Amino acid sequence: SPIPLKFGAPVSLYFAIPGTNSAADILGRVAWTQKEGHHGIQFSDLPSSLRTTLQRWLQSEMKKDGWELADN
């Protein structure tokens, strides 16, 4: 964001999940900020199906980057 977000501010995010037919439309809040303009978002009330899709995508991307992941 060109304008810094304030800690605790509500946010609404919509994004496509690469390599899937899924998109995320979720609410959250700013959990942390850095003066460089980086922000952390804490999502609230993710539907379980979306949570699973995001976890699978993130694990796939991490494996591509060489992370060693524990088996679930």
Side-chain angles (χ1 to χ4, degrees):
S1 171
I3 300 170
L5 300 173
K6 292 188 180 195
F7 177 80
V11 294
S12 176
L13 300 170
Y14 180 85
F15 56 92
I17 302 170
T20 72
N21 293 327
S22 298
D25 188 6
I26 50 182
L27 299 175
R29 68 172 187 83
V30 178
W32 57 264
T33 64
Q34 291 181 334
K35 60 184 172 188
E36 297 85 7
H38 302 158
H39 301 82
I41 305 298
Q42 179 180 20
F43 302 119
S44 54
D45 300 325
L46 283 178
S48 61
S49 61
L50 177 57
R51 181 183 306 269
T52 299
T53 300
L54 283 170
Q55 285 175 332
R56 287 181 180 154
W57 178 78
L58 286 168
Q59 288 175 348
S60 171
E61 292 300 302
M62 290 171 72
K63 285 181 183 178
K64 288 178 191 175
D65 285 346
W67 288 66
E68 292 185 27
L69 304 175
D71 293 330
N72 291 338

